[in-house]
Amino acid sequence: VIHVAYVAGATGATDWLGDTAHRIEYTRSSDGGRSFSAPVTVSPVGASVPLYFSNPTVTAAPGSERVFVLYPEGTPDGRWDIQLASLADDRKGWHHHRVNDDQPCANHMVPTGTLDPKSGDLHVAWAENRGGEGRIAYALCAASGTECSQNEAVSDIPFATYGLVRHSPGWVGEY
């Protein structure tokens, strides 16, 4: 099975750093990529999703129907939170949980995640500028997708620069 999550930009979107016209979508293929299911929207209606620096990631639990999608959500001023959307085995809708544990005043972006094969818990890492300095942060989220641990700093030394202006000297890049 191939799982894909992506940002769907919309005609009429006015801000690439956060707009309610953008949305996170998910699709899957059960035949090795020859065909895909109709895309479904993962992000809540009305959520402001950045097109740049999003890079949503999808992780599926082996042997079950549980799927996790990580993506940033927030306003054009760069106040983004990392969202964890989980789809349970019953496939009856996406449940959303904010991963970062600070106030919505910093930038959190480009999340990545991997499942612990024994516990089913999700290890999540992302770039952020909490406290005004760029760094990598981490949280452990329960297999249910409903709670995450207190955030931890992964990098001991802050980034030399941290900026969202594309191709400027302070740009941290998107990938």
Side-chain angles (χ1 to χ4, degrees), residues 35 49 58-59 68-69 77 87 98 119 139 141 143 149-150 154-155 158:
S35 64
V49 174
V58 61
T59 305
F68 300 98
V69 176
D77 61 2
L87 183 63
R98 186 171 69 124
S119 69
C141 299
S149 68
Q150 182 176 351
V154 172
S155 48

Side-chain angles (χ1 to χ4, degrees), residues 2 28-37:
I2 300 171
R28 64 184 268 167
S29 172
S30 297
D31 59 11
R34 289 186 293 282
S35 64
F36 284 84
S37 63

Side-chain angles (χ1 to χ4, degrees), residues 66 68 84 86 95-97 141-148:
R66 182 168 291 279
F68 300 98
L84 170 59
S86 59
H95 303 281
H96 298 86
H97 183 76
C141 299
S144 64
T146 58
E147 59 183 295
C148 297

